[in-house]
Amino acid sequence: MNNVIIKASRNTETAPQNTASTQTVAFSHYNNISAQLPVDPSTGEIVVGSIKEQVKQCLTNIKAIIESTDHVMDDVIKLTIFLKNISDMDAVDEVYAAFFQSYLPTRTTVAIAALPLNDALVQIEALISNGEGTAPQAPCALIKLARNTDSAPISSTSTQTVAFSHYNNISAQLPIDTKTGELVAGGIKEQTTQCLNNIKAILESINHDMNDIVKTTIFLKNIADIEAVNAVCATFFPSYVPARSVVNATALPMDALIQIDTSVSHGDGTPPQLPEDTRLLVIEASNTDNAPIMSCSHTVAFSHYNHVAGQLPLDPKTNVLVTGNVKAQATQCLNNIKAILASVDHVMDDIVKVNIQVKDIADIDAINAIYTTFFNSNLPARTIIGVAAIPMGALVQIDAVVSNAESTPPQA
């Protein structure tokens, strides 16, 4: 069924191009934009100047890509900002707000170990509303629902939740006590609980619950905390565990130990869709014996998208890291994703967005040599970051967002 709805993969000369990714890949009612570095497209070089100049260039590149597809910046649903220094957040905020006229999208901000170009201080990726849909869907004047609740921390630089079509995107939640505006006391367990309670409060404010989450990305200061985090998560997801990726952050806002990002199913849709048309769409969580055993679902499909959990270079027969260099490990990660997709009757060319974490940012060229061989048509949008650590001591971890043309069925 992967040929029912056609992906719109596009590049523009007004923004930097990359031989290993497509600038923008639209599918159904969303458009995925590759992470943008502060590169001047006319010279191919990093812009000279401070963090403010680099943020402006990243956002200018995103704006150019968006405008090349007849969209505007206020169509942005979510931004993820990767910083070399978390102390640059205030400078980012000064530049950032000027690019939006009507509202601020949901947002995640995190400091990481390295970016693809040595002199880059920032990298920004974006998710865009795509009301016209992709062929053969007819255009539809879909309306975003941007909302905040007093039951969770409110930020002056982002909206808590922005729903569009059949997905709801929530700003990454820090372990902030809503009543005090401060980090909760305690260690990783207490902070994880607070992050999840904040997410739960936001969901309940829009008549959703934790079981509507399809994907979580967990940003951790200490990768060794993952087992403690998993134990807390299990109490919030007793019967169903969303797809998940774990990212090692060098720093998080407010010096938190953890931050959690979520994508949520939104069966009720956004106006002018009628709730009764789509409310009964179900989440399809799936696992396969042909990929490594995980503490979360391998893949979670909802509506026209399918979310694949972060894959480590584990041999599915042994659940042990494969031996060899980064090429061998990247190959295993991609083979695991390929096996998961095959188990749900999809192929690698159905992927619209890929996220790659590497232990050594210098390994990008080696990974690209393997990566491009897994695709036969246009390459997906992509984000690459360098991190200080990956679970199990791996050199690379890869997750993916996949087109799901057949959609998910209504409940019987």
Side-chain angles (χ1 to χ4, degrees):
M1 295 185 186
N2 60 357
N3 61 352
V4 175
I5 295 178
I6 301 167
K7 292 184 299 185
S9 302
R10 292 167 286 191
N11 288 297
T12 175
E13 293 179 354
T14 57
Q17 297 190 21
N18 190 311
T19 58
S21 65
T22 303
Q23 286 172 350
T24 170
V25 180
F27 181 77
S28 185
H29 289 139
Y30 277 91
N31 197 333
N32 301 266
I33 294 184
S34 289
Q36 295 298 301
L37 289 160
V39 173
D40 182 333
S42 62
T43 65
E45 302 292 333
I46 291 276
V47 294
V48 177
S50 66
I51 182 65
K52 289 184 180 181
E53 283 75 24
Q54 291 205 4
V55 172
K56 183 177 180 181
Q57 187 64 56
C58 290
L59 291 168
T60 298
N61 291 342
I62 289 171
K63 184 179 180 183
I65 294 169
I66 291 172
E67 291 178 346
S68 75
T69 62
D70 297 323
H71 280 262
V72 296
M73 288 296 280
D74 282 332
D75 291 331
V76 174
I77 298 289
K78 181 175 182 62
L79 288 175
T80 303
I81 301 172
F82 299 99
L83 292 171
K84 287 291 293 294
N85 300 299
I86 202 69
S87 59
D88 284 336
M89 273 186 61
D90 290 342
V92 169
D93 292 342
E94 286 183 39
V95 178
Y96 168 83
F99 279 80
F100 301 93
Q101 303 302 314
S102 63
Y103 91 116
L104 293 174
T106 62
R107 196 174 98 173
T108 297
T109 304
V110 57
I112 53 171
L115 293 169
L117 294 176
N118 286 335
D119 294 330
L121 301 174
V122 60
Q123 179 177 240
I124 305 177
E125 68 174 18
L127 180 67
I128 311 297
S129 59
N130 189 50
E132 65 271 27
T134 46
Q137 290 178 313
C140 182
L142 295 173
I143 301 168
K144 298 193 300 284
L145 294 177
R147 292 169 286 192
N148 289 297
T149 174
D150 292 336
S151 300
I154 294 176
S155 170
S156 61
T157 59
S158 65
T159 303
Q160 285 173 353
T161 170
V162 179
F164 181 76
S165 186
H166 292 145
Y167 273 88
N168 202 326
N169 299 271
I170 294 179
S171 287
Q173 292 300 300
L174 290 162
I176 297 172
D177 184 321
T178 308
K179 295 179 180 178
T180 66
E182 303 293 334
L183 290 182
V184 295
I188 188 62
K189 289 185 178 180
E190 289 78 12
Q191 291 203 9
T192 303
T193 300
Q194 187 64 51
C195 289
L196 292 168
N197 276 330
N198 291 342
I199 291 167
K200 184 179 180 182
I202 293 169
L203 290 178
E204 289 177 348
S205 75
I206 56 174
N207 298 318
H208 281 264
D209 60 42
M210 297 294 280
N211 285 328
D212 292 330
I213 294 173
V214 295
K215 170 74 187 295
T216 62
T217 301
I218 299 174
F219 298 94
L220 284 175
K221 282 282 297 294
N222 187 348
I223 207 73
D225 284 338
I226 188 60
E227 293 304 325
V229 170
N230 285 342
V232 176
C233 285
T235 67
F236 282 82
F237 303 100
S239 58
Y240 152 76
V241 183
R244 179 187 302 165
S245 294
V246 177
V247 178
N248 185 209
T250 56
L252 292 168
M254 299 180 68
D255 201 27
L257 300 177
I258 184 171
Q259 180 177 234
I260 303 180
D261 187 321
T262 50
S263 295
V264 181
S265 62
H266 185 61
D268 36 328
T270 48
Q273 290 176 313
L274 298 176
E276 60 265 33
D277 289 342
T278 55
R279 181 174 293 165
L280 297 179
L281 288 175
V282 298
I283 291 173
E284 289 185 335
S286 178
N287 291 292
T288 174
D289 292 336
N290 295 323
I293 298 169
M294 303 183 69
S295 57
C296 64
S297 299
H298 280 148
T299 173
V300 179
F302 179 77
S303 186
H304 287 138
Y305 276 92
N306 201 326
H307 303 262
V308 177
Q311 294 299 301
L312 292 166
L314 301 176
D315 184 329
K317 295 179 181 178
T318 63
N319 240 49
V320 173
L321 281 178
V322 296
T323 57
N325 59 17
V326 72
K327 284 188 178 180
Q329 292 204 3
T331 300
Q332 188 64 56
C333 291
L334 291 163
N335 276 330
N336 291 343
I337 290 172
K338 185 176 180 180
I340 291 168
L341 294 183
S343 74
V344 292
D345 298 323
H346 279 267
V347 296
M348 293 293 281
D349 284 321
D350 292 334
I351 294 175
V352 295
K353 174 73 191 303
V354 167
N355 300 303
I356 302 176
Q357 301 175 48
V358 292
K359 184 77 180 301
D360 185 348
I361 203 71
D363 284 338
I364 289 179
D365 289 342
I367 291 171
N368 284 344
I370 298 299
Y371 174 82
T372 54
T373 66
F374 278 79
F375 300 93
N376 296 312
S377 62
N378 292 321
L379 293 168
R382 193 173 82 169
T383 295
I384 293 184
I385 57 172
V387 293
I390 295 174
M392 299 184 70
L395 301 176
V396 60
Q397 180 177 223
I398 305 176
D399 66 61
V401 181
V402 184
S403 59
N404 188 46
E406 64 270 29
S407 190
T408 46
Q411 284 179 314

